[in-house]
Amino acid sequence: DPKVVAAGTRRLARWPHVRFVQGDMHELPFDDESFDRVFLLNALTYSQHPRQALREATRVLRPGGRVVLSTLERHEHEDVVSDYDHHPPGFSVATLRANIRKAGLTCRTLSVTHRETKAPGFSIIIGLAEKESP
């Protein structure tokens, strides 16, 4: 959304090394091995191809780089998220761990870190994965 990019650019204008770029997480507009960190914060539930998004994160990471991610644990609350266009209704930790491995990353930590106490009671998964050095 161009409005989000514009708002972020204004908000972080005092840091010249920060820039916002709108792109597709399945086809990132960056060269291979461009970044030390990739953040996938609440992004994978919007992906019809989460493995491809993880492969792209791996592609743009330098060796030793890390992916930080947060996402919803698998749930049965389709009615609550239908307005948000979520494709998978969250992930199991085991499925997400397998997708991370298949993308060429080593999972350092991945777990449910928070469970909402109010309905519908979503659970949040937080993870850290690393691209191994050759």
Side-chain angles (χ1 to χ4, degrees), residues 1 14 19 21 24 27 35 38 58-59 62 68 89 105 107 116 118 123 132:
D1 183 336
R14 66 182 166 183
R19 67 185 171 114
V21 176
D24 181 344
E27 232 178 292
F35 298 97
V38 172
T58 303
R59 180 185 68 76
R62 292 183 184 106
V68 177
L105 298 166
C107 191
E116 293 178 335
K118 294 183 180 181
S123 296
E132 296 298 324

Side-chain angles (χ1 to χ4, degrees), residues 99-119:
N99 287 344
I100 288 168
R101 182 179 39 76
K102 288 176 184 173
L105 298 166
T106 300
C107 191
R108 296 295 179 207
T109 181
L110 187 70
S111 63
V112 174
T113 61
H114 179 75
R115 296 187 196 281
E116 293 178 335
T117 56
K118 294 183 180 181

Side-chain angles (χ1 to χ4, degrees), residues 38-87:
V38 172
F39 293 86
L40 291 171
L41 306 178
N42 303 313
L44 293 177
T45 53
Y46 292 96
S47 173
Q48 290 186 2
H49 307 285
R51 266 193 228 154
Q52 178 60 29
L54 287 164
R55 280 193 299 268
E56 274 296 282
T58 303
R59 180 185 68 76
V60 301
L61 275 177
R62 292 183 184 106
R66 293 181 170 182
V67 172
V68 177
L69 65 89
S70 67
T71 194
L72 293 177
E73 185 178 34
R74 187 149 185 87
H75 60 82
E76 302 297 325
H77 307 293
E78 298 263 354
D79 55 322
V80 177
V81 298
S82 62
D83 289 341
Y84 298 103
D85 202 25
H86 286 188
H87 297 285

Side-chain angles (χ1 to χ4, degrees), residues 1-18:
D1 183 336
K3 289 181 184 178
V4 173
V5 172
T9 300
R10 281 191 309 275
R11 197 172 215 183
L12 299 177
R14 66 182 166 183
W15 288 289
H17 64 286
V18 175

